[in-house]
Amino acid sequence: MHGGNQSETSEFLLLGLSESPKEQRILFWMFLSMYLVTVVGNVLIILAISIDPHLHTPMYLLLANLSLTDLFFVTNTIPNTLVNLQSQNKAISYAGCLTQLYFLVSLVTLDNFILATMAYDRYVAICRPLYYVTAMNPGLCILLLTLCWGLSVLYGLFLTLFVTKVTFCGSRKIHYIFCEMYVLLRLACSNTQVNHTMLIATGSFIFLAPLGFMIMSYVYIVRAILRIPSASSKYKAFSTCASHLAVVSLFYGTLCMVYLQPLQSYSMKDSVATVMYAVVTPMMNPFIYSLRNKDMHGALGRLLLGKAFQRFT
């Protein structure tokens, strides 16, 4: 890896968060536990929604897609991390690194779009309840999801192609658990100002525009809830949004900590924040969405316990 273009970079070394064998063992069991919890939780959400006819509504269709996205997200990064923590060979090929980066960008973007679509669903349900059946009909819901998936795939491809124009030389050590955009740009020996500017410009639009839409949606939702005369009805209306608000806060809070800053200031604390949105958020989503949701409780009970649950209820 001396000078030249990006094709001369055959591989990178994913060194992880620590090079201490003792700490690596702790990290291995921590990531393995979180991965298994994430997979089981999201698979249960998807199965419960698929099997229970009562959950064949736009809100739960969006939730199933969010769980599917989180499942893909952790599977893109964590298995390779677990192998690296147990192996002396921590190399990842240049093509493998770019592939991981592509899916990382695409799936984070997809999470972002699905959360915005869920906010729209809640806005229509609370602020325009009489029009909900027509405004969120199955055809429109599938169209919105198709747009979410399509735009995410294109954005991931766009940013990954930009990285292929970067020249890497010198150190190829990545002190992190997967190939992440900022980490790769810091390893470049060519000028990355254009890449960083493009990342900030497109990222601000792709992520802050949906966030702004969600904020406006919740302004109208809160106004509508405050006009409800019954306290119990207010609580019921707000409880349908509380889970979504919790996930949005966790997702955007960690995302903004990492990416809305100059490239030169990226540090280990941002690596921890990236672990939050890359591992912790997908793990927490099933708990957040099912914790106080009676419909999900019922669907999960019927899925896991079958007729025994029906007799109990």
Side-chain angles (χ1 to χ4, degrees):
M1 286 173 49
H2 298 286
N5 57 38
Q6 72 281 355
S7 62
E8 295 180 10
T9 305
S10 59
E11 62 183 25
F12 295 99
L13 296 176
L14 285 172
L15 300 180
L17 299 176
S18 172
E19 296 184 56
S20 164
K22 183 178 179 180
E23 291 180 357
Q24 285 185 352
R25 284 194 294 272
I26 295 172
L27 288 170
F28 174 83
W29 289 110
M30 183 184 75
F31 281 122
L32 178 61
S33 302
M34 294 170 76
Y35 179 66
L36 292 176
V37 170
T38 303
V39 170
V40 171
N42 282 290
V43 167
L44 286 176
I45 292 289
I46 294 168
L47 289 177
I49 292 172
S50 302
I51 294 171
D52 196 322
H54 297 97
L55 302 184
H56 293 175
T57 63
M59 181 176 76
Y60 290 108
L61 176 60
L62 293 170
L63 178 56
N65 273 265
L66 185 67
S67 291
L68 185 63
T69 304
D70 288 340
L71 195 57
F72 287 156
F73 193 94
V74 294
T75 303
N76 176 51
T77 55
I78 302 305
N80 187 68
T81 300
L82 295 173
V83 171
N84 284 346
L85 287 170
Q86 291 290 92
S87 171
Q88 296 299 316
N89 180 17
K90 302 182 183 299
I92 182 172
S93 68
Y94 175 76
C97 191
L98 288 187
T99 301
Q100 194 176 70
L101 175 66
Y102 165 73
F103 282 108
L104 180 68
V105 173
S106 298
L107 293 169
V108 171
T109 306
L110 182 57
D111 246 355
N112 167 64
F113 286 152
I114 291 177
L115 287 173
T117 308
M118 293 175 83
Y120 172 70
D121 174 79
R122 293 299 82 208
Y123 163 77
V124 177
I126 293 174
C127 300
R128 299 287 186 271
L130 298 179
Y131 300 98
Y132 184 77
V133 175
T134 54
M136 284 300 292
N137 63 77
L140 178 61
C141 191
I142 292 172
L143 175 61
L144 290 173
L145 282 171
T146 302
L147 286 173
C148 290
W149 282 84
L151 289 173
S152 301
V153 166
L154 291 175
Y155 184 62
L157 183 61
F158 172 75
L159 285 190
T160 305
L161 288 175
F162 253 84
V163 175
T164 63
K165 305 300 181 183
V166 173
T167 303
F168 296 99
C169 55
S171 175
R172 55 195 176 97
K173 296 179 179 179
I174 298 176
H175 293 273
Y176 198 48
I177 60 174
F178 51 75
C179 294
E180 195 269 338
M181 180 69 74
Y182 268 30
V183 175
L184 288 177
L185 291 181
R186 291 197 70 174
L187 292 178
C189 58
S190 60
N191 191 337
T192 60
Q193 186 59 45
V194 174
N195 298 78
H196 186 238
T197 302
M198 187 62 67
L199 181 63
I200 293 295
T202 58
S204 296
F205 176 75
I206 290 290
F207 290 96
L208 296 186
L211 178 60
F213 173 78
M214 283 185 266
I215 291 172
M216 287 302 299
S217 297
Y218 274 104
V219 168
Y220 285 106
I221 287 171
V222 170
R223 287 173 58 185
I225 291 176
L226 291 177
R227 287 198 293 265
I228 298 175
S230 168
S232 60
S233 297
K234 283 182 180 179
Y235 175 79
K236 184 178 179 181
F238 181 75
S239 65
T240 63
C241 305
S243 299
H244 182 259
L245 276 172
V247 171
V248 167
S249 301
L250 183 60
F251 178 77
Y252 278 97
T254 53
L255 209 61
C256 291
M257 284 172 60
V258 175
Y259 294 112
L260 293 185
Q261 60 172 307
L263 178 61
Q264 293 75 17
S265 64
Y266 191 81
S267 63
M268 182 56 70
K269 68 179 178 63
D270 301 303
S271 297
V272 175
T274 309
V275 171
M276 286 290 292
Y277 85 74
V279 185
V280 177
T281 301
M283 181 184 70
M284 293 302 298
N285 283 355
F287 295 101
I288 293 172
Y289 278 107
S290 62
L291 192 61
R292 298 173 64 185
N293 189 314
K294 292 182 180 180
D295 292 333
M296 283 304 306
H297 285 174
L300 289 170
R302 286 186 289 273
L303 174 66
L304 297 173
L305 303 176
K307 293 181 179 180
F309 178 81
Q310 294 177 347
R311 287 196 297 269
F312 179 77
T313 56

